[in-house]
Amino acid sequence: MNLTNYVRQVSLEDFGKEFHHEADWNKRLRSTGGRFFPKDGRLDFNPKIYEQFGLETFRKIVRHELCHYHLYFEKKGYRHKDRDFKQLLKAVNGLRYAPTLSRQPTAKILIYQCLHCHAQYHRKRRINTEQYCCGRCQGKLIFVRQLQS
């Protein structure tokens, strides 16, 4: 699917206005569904939203970004807090917030233990046991195990 043509189609069908700029996929987006760039009128969209939630939810995200787009070029309130934006978003049935994406598995936890006082240390990053020692008794640290969380 050509994203720019899809956004143009949604703009004509749902807003009755033309979209004159480019729309791109942006894999680096994490917590947002899309972005509008007022300087050049470009729209970026998160491909993970489309993959995880389907076309219906993605279309609502496109409507949200098009609200920003059209209101900006009409010199009306295009920001999230503006009344014009809230009213137009409700009128076209756009999403106010992007749905939460499922997260990647969280990082591993490494457990180190002091040979002298048996204090345990939980870390996300490896410790050089030759360089560092126990913070309580200055005893030698050893690697015990790795947990997946």
Side-chain angles (χ1 to χ4, degrees):
M1 147 170 100
N2 184 341
L3 185 59
T4 301
N5 288 338
Y6 178 72
V7 173
R8 286 185 179 135
Q9 175 190 341
V10 171
S11 183
L12 282 173
E13 291 174 5
D14 298 344
F15 292 84
K17 300 171 186 174
E18 289 196 19
F19 175 70
H20 299 286
H21 294 82
E22 292 295 314
D24 297 311
W25 295 111
N26 186 342
K27 295 178 183 176
R28 293 183 313 271
L29 296 178
R30 296 205 173 192
S31 61
T32 183
R35 288 191 306 185
F36 165 60
F37 296 91
K39 269 187 178 178
D40 58 4
R42 183 171 48 96
L43 299 178
D44 273 2
F45 292 99
N46 188 342
K48 293 175 216 144
I49 295 285
Y50 178 66
E51 293 163 6
Q52 283 189 19
F53 298 100
L55 189 60
E56 184 178 337
T57 302
F58 180 69
R59 186 176 181 117
K60 291 180 180 182
I61 298 287
V62 171
R63 289 177 189 149
H64 176 106
E65 298 309 321
L66 283 171
C67 286
H68 290 298
Y69 176 85
H70 290 302
L71 289 170
Y72 176 79
F73 288 110
E74 292 170 6
K75 302 206 181 334
K76 295 181 179 177
Y78 68 96
R79 292 177 294 183
H80 288 121
K81 66 181 182 178
D82 296 327
R83 181 181 294 155
D84 292 331
F85 177 80
K86 291 177 183 177
Q87 289 174 344
L88 182 59
L89 189 66
K90 191 174 186 179
V92 296
N93 191 25
L95 278 182
R96 181 91 165 102
Y97 302 103
T100 306
L101 293 165
S102 62
R103 293 186 168 197
Q104 298 294 329
T106 54
K108 59 186 182 266
I109 304 293
L110 305 170
I111 301 175
Y112 294 87
Q113 187 171 6
C114 174
L115 286 175
H116 187 261
C117 70
H118 304 290
Q120 284 195 345
Y121 296 92
H122 297 247
R123 297 288 180 266
K124 290 182 180 178
R125 299 176 85 180
R126 286 188 302 139
I127 295 175
N128 181 352
T129 56
E130 299 297 318
Q131 184 178 359
Y132 294 98
C133 61
C134 176
R136 294 182 184 168
C137 70
Q138 279 67 50
K140 182 163 176 57
L141 293 176
I142 60 165
F143 175 73
V144 179
R145 66 182 172 177
Q146 176 178 321
L147 296 176
Q148 292 290 342
S149 55

